[in-house]
Amino acid sequence: MAERLRPQSLGEVIGQQHLLGEGMPLRIAFESGQPHSCILWGPPGTGKTTIARLMADAFDAQFITISAVLGGVKDIREAVEQAQIAQGHGRRTIVFVDEVHRFNKSQQDAFLPHVESGLFTFIGATTENPSFEVNSALLSRAAVYVLQPLGEEDLKQIVQRAQAIDAVPPIAEKALDRLIAYADGDARRLLNTLETLAVAATKEKRGEVTDEWLLKVLGERMRRYDKGGEQFYDTISALHKSVRGSDPDATLYWFVRMLDGGVDPRYVARRMIRMAVEDIGLADPRALRLALDAADVYERLGTPEGELALAECLVYLAMAPKSNAVYVAYNEARALVRKDGTRPVPLHLRNAPTKLMKDLNYGRDYRYAHDEEGGFAAGETYFPEGMKPPRFYRPVERGLEIRIAEKLRELRARNDAQGTNP
């Protein structure tokens, strides 16, 4: 069915009008008469292969497909040989690499000299963010086009086309809505489902696809969830931002979405620990302990009982006072150390385990804080000599950091009285 309905021209392509509509980037590329290397980035079933095939047809080019899942350097060499033969006959070649992100760096590098020489036009298809998965050298030589999941109306158009060629029987309105939701923006998934329904309807001699029968054939609706892909990271990002935004309801929603999609709860537990130290920090130090305990509970109980402990912790994290002061301070300290020179440790702060070191004044004039009033050596300096003391840590006026800020002001006031203020 997918092949019977595959578009034969740009005008037949459903969706992606932000790229293929009049005056849009890919339409202009087709009409220019000059193919160019590109990366087609988008979810499954959005037309990446179809667009690549249409580009080959538009330029009367030899079309060579390589699957990065199954192929390797041998396939790349064979493609080069075929392109050289075609070039000898005055014909262009388009090499289409499906799931290009699965090729390693050396495999991706193998395309570079041939793309630069113009031997063939390279088109890569990927469901992953090419910024992370495609070599920068190859990426710099290819335009990136972002494809979007198909909308409801787009998917309904596909159903109508299938019905127009009598590939599927009539579908009741409620069943159609469920079918579109089940496809979840993926045309390939929709077409495969339609084919399943068509075979089952023929076998049972059904004249219409009803909602009840659709549920019987499909079973419980399975939601698409790519555990290692872009959607995965978008969803964990939504969970993290919901916690940071102190919205327990949204937090639970995204947590359940992840579980429903098949994520390993241990991954969520690890992210919760990160949330506790990045977004709550010393505003509520108990958050970190609770996150560690929740992860422990899940390890002991497993699914589904242990998931409740994770949910409880997530709600706590969402409602806890927020502070990224330590996170910001740590990053500022790292940035300073990266750009600053390697300053020597002041003599009074150096360790002196040997007589020679003591003779060299290591540790001399160091003031032991525990022997000072209030356990604080007012006026002592702990930075390298000649360095203006930076202030990385700036506690916020929330949670426990309110008291920490008060303590810090008091200590700095005592330093001021001694003529220093780190």
Side-chain angles (χ1 to χ4, degrees):
M1 186 182 297
E3 283 304 315
R4 291 171 66 192
L5 292 174
R6 189 180 292 279
Q8 301 302 309
S9 67
L10 277 186
E12 294 180 8
V13 176
I14 294 174
Q16 313 309 334
Q17 291 308 296
H18 65 294
L19 297 176
L20 300 172
E22 291 295 332
M24 294 296 107
L26 267 177
R27 172 64 69 106
I28 293 172
F30 272 78
E31 294 173 348
S32 70
Q34 292 295 322
H36 63 271
S37 295
C38 61
I39 305 284
L40 302 176
W41 171 30
T46 51
K48 297 186 289 293
T49 303
T50 294
I51 291 172
R53 286 182 182 275
L54 288 175
M55 190 175 289
D57 292 342
F59 300 114
D60 189 29
Q62 173 181 223
F63 188 70
I64 300 174
T65 301
I66 299 175
S67 170
V69 177
L70 304 173
V73 174
K74 176 176 175 289
D75 300 87
I76 299 173
R77 278 199 296 263
E78 289 177 357
V80 170
E81 291 170 4
Q82 292 179 52
Q84 288 170 337
I85 293 171
Q87 189 180 55
H89 291 89
R91 194 179 182 204
R92 294 166 169 161
T93 297
I94 287 179
V95 175
F96 175 68
V97 182
D98 196 19
E99 303 291 334
V100 64
H101 60 275
R102 293 185 182 270
F103 270 157
N104 59 36
K105 184 180 185 301
S106 62
Q107 289 169 323
Q108 291 184 27
D109 282 346
F111 291 104
L112 289 175
H114 309 297
V115 171
E116 290 181 335
S117 71
L119 176 63
F120 55 70
T121 299
F122 172 86
I123 301 179
T126 178
T127 55
E128 306 298 318
N129 190 329
S131 301
F132 305 128
E133 305 294 342
V134 178
N135 288 357
S136 57
L138 186 57
L139 198 59
S140 68
R141 292 162 175 79
V144 176
Y145 296 112
V146 182
L147 282 69
Q148 303 295 339
L150 273 64
E152 289 185 16
E153 293 306 314
D154 296 328
L155 295 170
K156 286 180 180 178
Q157 265 189 269
I158 293 175
V159 175
Q160 289 167 4
R161 288 190 184 179
Q163 291 175 327
I165 61 171
D166 296 322
V168 289
I171 303 174
E173 184 177 349
K174 191 173 180 182
L176 179 61
D177 289 341
R178 190 182 299 275
L179 186 62
I180 298 304
Y182 178 73
D184 198 18
D186 185 335
R188 186 185 303 124
R189 189 178 192 189
L190 175 62
L191 289 167
N192 289 341
T193 306
L194 287 174
E195 194 147 25
T196 300
L197 293 173
V199 171
T202 300
K203 185 178 179 181
E204 297 184 21
K205 297 180 180 179
R206 294 191 65 90
E208 183 185 40
V209 176
T210 63
D211 190 46
E212 293 76 17
W213 185 74
L214 177 66
L215 282 172
K216 175 186 170 185
V217 174
L218 290 183
E220 184 180 351
R221 178 173 182 262
M222 299 297 292
R223 295 166 182 83
R224 181 185 57 175
Y225 197 102
D226 180 4
K227 297 177 194 175
E230 191 73 15
Q231 189 179 2
F232 174 86
Y233 293 108
D234 285 346
T235 311
I236 188 61
S237 174
L239 174 65
H240 197 148
K241 289 179 172 69
S242 298
V243 168
R244 184 182 295 146
S246 301
D247 189 329
D249 299 315
T251 296
L252 287 174
Y253 170 77
W254 292 113
F255 174 53
V256 174
R257 273 280 300 272
M258 295 191 77
L259 294 180
D260 185 59
V263 72
D264 184 348
R266 293 178 183 84
Y267 175 80
V268 180
R270 290 195 296 272
R271 287 303 296 250
M272 284 163 40
I273 295 168
R274 168 74 184 199
M275 295 172 199
V277 294
E278 178 180 337
D279 293 295
I280 297 167
L282 291 177
D284 186 349
R286 295 170 298 183
L288 177 57
R289 182 66 262 169
L290 194 63
L292 291 167
D293 287 345
D296 240 7
V297 170
Y298 180 80
E299 288 295 337
R300 288 174 179 269
L301 298 182
T303 296
E305 292 88 350
E307 292 165 3
L308 181 58
L310 301 183
E312 179 181 306
C313 180
L314 281 166
V315 171
Y316 184 93
L317 296 179
M319 295 310 299
K322 304 298 188 296
S323 171
N324 69 343
V326 173
Y327 177 69
V328 170
Y330 170 67
N331 286 331
E332 288 182 5
R334 289 182 64 194
L336 176 63
V337 169
R338 273 197 301 266
K339 71 178 183 180
D340 194 39
T342 304
R343 299 172 184 261
V345 176
L347 287 174
H348 73 284
L349 296 182
R350 297 187 190 187
N351 189 29
T354 68
K355 182 178 184 299
L356 173 62
M357 290 177 171
K358 289 176 182 175
D359 291 343
L360 292 173
N361 293 327
Y362 280 32
R364 184 179 179 182
D365 297 327
Y366 169 66
R367 294 166 59 194
Y368 189 57
H370 292 289
D371 292 341
E372 303 278 339
E373 182 184 350
F376 178 66
E380 181 67 292
T381 58
Y382 298 97
F383 280 99
E385 292 175 11
M387 181 178 180
K388 181 180 179 181
R391 288 192 177 181
F392 301 124
Y393 179 51
R394 299 178 291 277
V396 301
E397 295 296 322
R398 290 186 292 275
L400 181 63
E401 282 201 322
I402 295 174
R403 296 180 61 187
I404 293 175
E406 291 173 354
K407 177 71 174 179
L408 195 52
R409 284 192 290 269
E410 177 199 335
L411 297 179
R412 284 173 175 165
R414 292 177 63 183
N415 277 333
D416 282 339
Q418 296 292 325
T420 64
N421 193 351

